[in-house]
């Protein structure tokens, strides 16, 4: 019976299929093809050069999840949900879909061993850490970067709308990656002196003023504000503390550190997205999502005090900290 405990559990346990159906659709170009108009499976298979019978069943699986609309004449079309599989549309989740299908999916198979013996599932499955695993295959690294860029794009506008960064004359984005958040900050304050700080290979060729380095060693000193967006969640408490201490050493007494992160709620059901993000960290890395109290405790150990907690409505909070 729909809505029964058995129906709900059956759907949950088949989640493995949905991850792959979405991934396959993106990998072979279904969203872009359907964006040009509804198609039958046979037409689409010819256009995409794939096996018609298999494609039809994949499309039907996606229609069963309301990602596609199956018309009476047999043609399939993108629903509003399916539209978000397209590249470059506002709110696109294409990068996330590819990263899950290509990288996270295999890694999750290591969870049973990790819960019994400890360790990181991805490392148990692939025999090397996340970034080495990504770097071994350029397309995999590109996939992950695209996923991060999609997520940054969704979050950056919400962060600058929720927290007024325009009052700072100088800002360093520590571990700023492709600079999406820093660009949003600069749009709000075009005269601000901004610096993108990340590993040398990451900042090379950036259109933003950039400094390459290692945030465990030193970050550029003396700015009004420092951003640490989605950085601390990659690391365990010891490493997160080392990063915070390096930032603390760069801060003036009146500087501000802005930690942008998902915040784990007191009860999982209050924010399932944050809880799932914590599980991605568990599966892939040595990282974790933390509660506000856990961030406050880490900040204090680094000689910083939490002075504001600003939810953005986009899955992340801005945690403002100051020396003291
Ligand atoms: C999860 S990404 C976050 C990127 C960006 N801040 C955002 O909000 O999307 C973490 C960033 O930390 C950078 N990173 C990792 N190790 C680093 C190190 N030792 N020094 C500086 N940056 C580092 C990575 O290159 C990556 O850009």
């Amino acid at each position: 019976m729909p809505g029964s405990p058995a129906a709900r559990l059956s759907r949950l346990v088949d989640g493995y299929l949905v991850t792959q159906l979405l991934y396959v659709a993106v990998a072979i170009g279904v969203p872009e093809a359907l964006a040009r108009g509804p198609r039958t499976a046979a037409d689409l298979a010819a256009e995409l050069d794939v096996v018609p019978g298999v494609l039809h069943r994949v499309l039907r699986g996606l229609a069963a999840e309301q990602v596609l609309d199956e018309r009476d004449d047999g043609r399939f079309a993108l629903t509003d949900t399916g539209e978000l599989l397209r590249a470059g549309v506002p709110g696109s989740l294409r990068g996330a879909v590819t990263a899950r299908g290509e990288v996270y999916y295999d890694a999750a198979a290591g969870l049973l061993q990790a819960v019994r013996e400890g360790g990181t599932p991805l490392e148990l499955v692939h025999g090397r850490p996340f970034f080495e695993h990504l770097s071994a295959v350029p397309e995999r690294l590109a996939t992950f970067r695209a996923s991060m860029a999609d997520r940054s794009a969704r979050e950056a506008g919400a962060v600058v709308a929720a927290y007024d960064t325009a009052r700072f004359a100088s800002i360093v984005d520590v571990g700023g990656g492709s600079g999406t958040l820093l660009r949003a900050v600069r749009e709000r304050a075009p005269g601000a002196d901004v610096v993108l700080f990340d590993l040398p290979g990451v900042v090379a060729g950036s259109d933003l003023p950039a400094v390459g380095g290692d945030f465990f060693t030193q970050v550029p000193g003396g700015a009004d504000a420092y951003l640490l967006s989605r950085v601390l969640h990659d690391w365990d408490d010891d490493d997160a503390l080392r990063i915070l201490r390096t930032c603390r050493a760069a801060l003036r007494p009146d500087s501000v550190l802005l930690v942008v992160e998902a915040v784990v709620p007191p009860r999982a059901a209050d924010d399932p997205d944050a809880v799932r993000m914590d599980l991605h960290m568990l599966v892939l890395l040595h990282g974790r999502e933390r509660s506000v109290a856990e961030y406050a405790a880490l900040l204090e150990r680094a000689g910083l005090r939490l002075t504001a907690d600003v939810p953005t409505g986009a899955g992340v909070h801005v945690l403002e900290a100051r020396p003291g």
Side-chain angles (χ1 to χ4, degrees):
M1 196 201 297
S4 68
R8 176 162 163 67
L9 193 56
S10 299
R11 179 122 188 231
L12 286 175
V13 77
D14 286 347
Y16 84 100
L17 278 174
V18 180
T19 301
Q20 284 299 331
L21 289 173
L22 293 167
Y23 169 57
V24 166
V26 165
I28 63 176
V30 169
E32 268 58 45
L34 291 185
R36 293 189 286 274
R39 302 270 203 293
T40 63
D43 287 349
L44 205 51
E47 184 178 337
L48 303 175
D49 194 21
V50 297
V51 181
V54 180
L55 179 66
H56 184 235
R57 291 156 76 182
V58 167
L59 298 178
R60 230 171 31 188
L62 291 167
E65 298 295 340
Q66 286 93 47
V67 175
L68 300 181
D69 178 30
E70 188 178 12
R71 307 251 166 109
D72 289 342
D73 61 5
R75 292 184 304 160
F76 290 88
L78 295 172
T79 61
D80 289 349
T81 303
E83 281 286 333
L84 300 177
L85 296 174
R86 293 175 57 197
V89 298
S92 173
L93 285 162
R94 182 192 183 83
V97 167
T98 310
R100 277 150 187 75
E102 232 167 69
V103 184
Y104 301 16
Y105 185 83
D106 292 351
L111 194 52
L112 180 60
Q113 191 182 346
V115 78
R116 286 199 168 125
E117 301 165 16
T120 302
L122 178 134
E123 290 180 28
L124 295 169
V125 170
H126 293 295
R128 54 186 168 190
F130 182 61
F131 284 106
E132 276 179 38
H133 174 66
L134 288 185
S135 303
V137 180
E139 296 85 60
R140 220 187 271 144
L141 186 60
T143 289
F144 179 69
R145 291 216 170 125
S147 168
M148 293 297 103
D150 279 0
R151 184 189 45 68
S152 276
R154 286 195 303 276
E155 288 170 3
V159 166
V160 295
Y163 186 96
D164 175 24
T165 51
R167 64 193 140 120
F168 303 121
S170 53
I171 301 195
V172 179
D173 190 358
V174 177
S178 58
T180 306
L181 178 56
L182 198 56
R183 266 183 221 99
V185 165
R186 196 174 58 171
E187 263 170 37
R188 295 241 156 182
D193 181 11
V194 300
V195 172
L196 180 70
F197 180 84
D198 206 296
L199 295 167
V202 175
V203 299
S206 174
D207 58 317
L208 290 161
V211 173
D214 173 10
F215 53 40
F216 289 110
T217 312
Q218 195 177 25
V219 304
D224 292 347
Y226 287 79
L227 291 168
L228 262 182
S229 165
R230 295 287 202 177
V231 167
L232 296 178
H233 77 159
D234 286 349
W235 304 94
D236 65 20
D237 282 359
D238 287 348
D239 284 333
L241 196 54
R242 287 170 63 208
I243 297 167
L244 285 173
R245 287 189 170 135
T246 317
C247 292
R248 170 70 184 84
L251 261 61
R252 300 189 315 251
D254 61 340
S255 303
V256 170
L257 174 70
L258 302 174
V259 174
V260 178
E261 293 284 1
V263 161
V264 174
R267 285 157 45 95
D270 294 338
D271 191 349
D273 290 349
V275 172
R276 285 205 311 281
M277 185 57 83
D278 177 58
L279 290 168
H280 293 316
M281 295 299 117
L282 173 66
V283 165
L284 303 174
L285 290 152
H286 297 275
R288 60 183 312 126
E289 302 298 343
R290 298 174 171 89
S291 65
V292 174
E294 287 169 330
Y295 277 116
L298 264 186
L299 288 164
E300 197 180 318
R301 287 172 68 197
L304 293 153
R305 88 198 134 82
L306 181 66
T307 46
D309 167 14
V310 184
T312 66
V316 286
H317 290 220
V318 180
L319 301 173
E320 182 199 74
R322 295 167 188 273

